[in-house]
Amino acid sequence: MFDELFEKCIPVNEEKTSPESDEKIRKILAEKINTPLQIKEDKLMKHISISKTIISAAAVAALGALSMVGASADNISDITYKSADGKDLGAVAYQFSSDNAIISDVGTVDIGAGTITIDGETQPISVNKLVDGVVINYVADGTDPGNTVLQINSDDVTNVTTKGIELGSMKYNEDGLGGYTLTNADGEVINVTVNADGSTDINAEINYLYYEF
Amino acid sequence: MDTNLIIALKSSDGESALSRIVSQFSAYVRTVLRNFSNGSLNADDLDELCSDVFFNLWLHRADLNENVGLKPYLSISAKNAVKNRLRAKKPPTEDVDELDFPSDLSIEKTAELNDMMRQLQIAFQTLSDSERELFLRYFFYGEKTADIARVMGLNENTARSKLSRVRGKLKDFLIKRGYDHV
């Protein structure tokens, strides 16, 4: 709600953006955090370039295998999301580590009554889903890639419960069905993305998950 | 949505995200700083305080709530930066302190701030669109009631009285939820 409200209300006499001033601010900030601040445009461009290579769902399906064999040298692949009725929901470029964990992604996929947001090197995915009037947020903890917090909120944004899930990692499943699995310290497994068998997890609208090489 | 930026800010590539945030929000932060300082800061002061605000965001990035968005954090941090700078001087904005609830709300107290934002989001649902805009402009942007009245097409006295009523509503709402130091 805040986002929408801020978007609607433009400040009176808002200052103009000043690249010179921004550079000065960046310089001060860089000294304070002791790290140069640069936008990695090359990385973003690479993702944009790769997204142009998306092929049809039928062709992807024809590829069959969901293993990472044949991945590009930098392990970047597109994942195409399909709705249960076959509608193309969009695609996002991912970078995988050598053990197939997602390590770098930028993008948002609309899943109807929610979104999957992918951004950041160590924060691979967050899921916002509306189920029976309850907003469920999976938010990976950026300060600890192995930790994910499951937030369950009612539709009036009142927090009902928050559950910390200690994870070894957030892995892409290679069981031939796709999807992501979160495992907590008690061995409890939660599927973030529904597999192709149409199971009724929180992402029930995402029944197919493909990627190409 | 700021969600992606907040998530990226928390990631190992946070410096790049911070740079993007500077590009996207520096004009906004400068506006808020100018408003709360009542135009008393020069360009160098504004740049310095701007960097303080973004540095504060950086320091507390781990505790930022993705669902709140960046502007509330930046506004509150900017307001406090101005207060600290002008502490020994006259309060920069008309009765601005009265609209702080709690008065020591700051980005440094992130847990309390996050809870306050959550409560405000709920409370906002009880307000009309014009009441929300009025409050947002006054509390987060630091705009003067005369400017708010002009942009919203209200008489200034009407804007003031509406603002007072909104504040009363929110204060009652928050007191019922344990904020007894409003």
Side-chain angles (χ1 to χ4, degrees):
Chain A
M1 171 182 281
F2 276 138
D3 271 355
E4 293 175 12
L5 197 55
F6 276 102
E7 286 301 318
K8 285 180 186 173
C9 303
I10 306 300
V12 176
N13 299 325
E14 185 169 30
E15 296 268 344
K16 304 289 184 194
T17 300
S18 162
E20 296 79 15
S21 179
D22 285 0
E23 272 315 301
K24 186 177 174 185
I25 291 167
R26 283 197 188 90
K27 189 177 177 184
I28 298 172
L29 276 173
E31 288 171 0
K32 288 183 175 178
I33 68 177
N34 204 25
T35 304
L37 297 180
Q38 292 178 335
I39 300 176
K40 296 180 179 176
E41 299 289 355
D42 56 338
K43 177 179 159 187
L44 295 176
M45 289 305 294
K46 186 157 56 177
H47 280 225
I48 291 169
S49 173
I50 287 171
S51 68
K52 291 179 180 173
T53 67
I54 298 169
I55 58 179
S56 71
V60 174
L63 290 175
L66 285 168
S67 73
M68 291 301 295
V69 177
S72 57
D74 51 3
N75 276 340
I76 294 180
S77 304
D78 279 345
I79 291 182
T80 302
Y81 292 91
K82 307 291 288 185
S83 65
D85 60 3
K87 182 182 175 186
D88 191 349
L89 296 175
V92 175
Y94 292 76
Q95 184 173 16
F96 294 86
S97 65
S98 58
D99 60 352
N100 292 340
I102 291 180
I103 57 173
S104 174
D105 328 280
V106 177
T108 299
V109 174
D110 184 359
I111 55 173
T115 57
I116 291 182
T117 302
I118 308 102
D119 199 348
E121 298 268 344
T122 57
Q123 173 121 349
I125 193 167
S126 67
V127 177
N128 175 289
K129 184 76 176 77
L130 190 66
V131 178
D132 295 330
V134 176
V135 176
I136 298 177
N137 295 317
Y138 278 90
V139 182
D141 182 349
T143 61
D144 180 2
N147 185 49
T148 291
V149 176
L150 169 62
Q151 298 174 320
I152 301 177
N153 301 310
S154 63
D155 55 355
D156 65 357
V157 205
T158 303
N159 183 261
V160 177
T161 181
T162 299
K163 181 180 182 182
I165 305 172
E166 296 295 330
L167 299 172
S169 62
M170 186 181 291
K171 297 285 188 182
Y172 179 73
N173 292 335
E174 290 188 274
D175 56 6
L177 296 174
Y180 297 89
T181 300
L182 308 178
T183 308
N184 68 10
D186 298 323
E188 179 183 356
V189 175
I190 298 172
N191 289 319
V192 174
T193 304
V194 168
N195 295 325
D197 61 2
S199 54
T200 55
D201 291 324
I202 62 164
N203 297 337
E205 293 172 13
I206 300 177
N207 282 346
Y208 302 98
L209 181 65
Y210 301 117
Y211 62 80
E212 62 162 319
F213 300 134
Chain B
M1 286 285 287
D2 301 337
T3 306
N4 289 351
L5 280 175
I6 295 177
I7 292 172
L9 190 66
K10 295 179 179 181
S11 74
S12 62
D13 196 23
E15 292 88 352
S16 176
L18 183 61
S19 187
R20 276 185 281 163
I21 288 170
V22 169
S23 299
Q24 197 169 327
F25 293 97
S26 64
Y28 171 77
V29 172
R30 290 172 68 87
T31 303
V32 174
L33 288 169
R34 183 201 63 206
N35 288 344
F36 280 120
S37 66
N38 211 13
S40 64
L41 299 175
N42 61 35
D44 287 340
D45 286 339
L46 284 175
D47 287 341
E48 187 185 337
L49 289 189
C50 234
S51 68
D52 287 345
V53 169
F54 289 118
F55 184 54
N56 236 348
L57 192 76
W58 172 258
L59 290 178
H60 300 282
R61 63 192 184 282
D63 299 319
L64 302 180
N65 184 333
E66 289 87 347
N67 297 321
V68 169
L70 283 168
K71 284 187 175 177
Y73 291 116
L74 293 171
S75 286
I76 288 167
S77 188
K79 180 192 282 189
N80 287 332
V82 169
K83 277 184 178 178
N84 291 337
R85 177 60 62 94
L86 304 177
R87 186 173 289 160
K89 300 180 181 177
K90 184 181 176 182
T93 303
E94 49 191 334
D95 64 356
V96 66
D97 286 331
E98 291 182 15
L99 273 176
D100 276 346
F101 34 84
S103 59
D104 59 349
L105 197 63
S106 73
I107 199 169
E108 287 80 5
K109 298 178 180 177
T110 318
E112 187 175 2
L113 180 57
N114 285 341
D115 186 59
M116 172 67 79
M117 289 302 137
R118 184 183 295 279
Q119 297 296 341
L120 273 181
Q121 281 186 317
I122 297 169
F124 268 30
Q125 294 175 6
T126 68
L127 303 179
S128 68
D129 287 346
S130 64
E131 287 175 330
R132 287 176 196 152
E133 180 174 350
L134 199 61
F135 179 80
L136 186 94
R137 289 186 179 283
Y138 195 87
F139 183 73
F140 286 112
Y141 293 173
E143 293 176 349
K144 295 177 181 176
T145 48
D147 290 332
I148 298 172
R150 191 178 69 250
V151 76
M152 293 183 68
L154 300 171
N155 175 284
E156 186 175 349
N157 287 333
T158 305
R160 282 181 179 277
S161 61
K162 285 186 79 169
L163 189 60
S164 177
R165 281 200 302 274
V166 170
R167 186 195 173 218
K169 277 187 187 180
L170 294 178
K171 186 175 180 179
D172 289 346
F173 184 91
L174 293 171
I175 285 176
K176 287 176 182 172
R177 283 153 183 81
Y179 285 87
D180 57 356
H181 52 307
V182 294

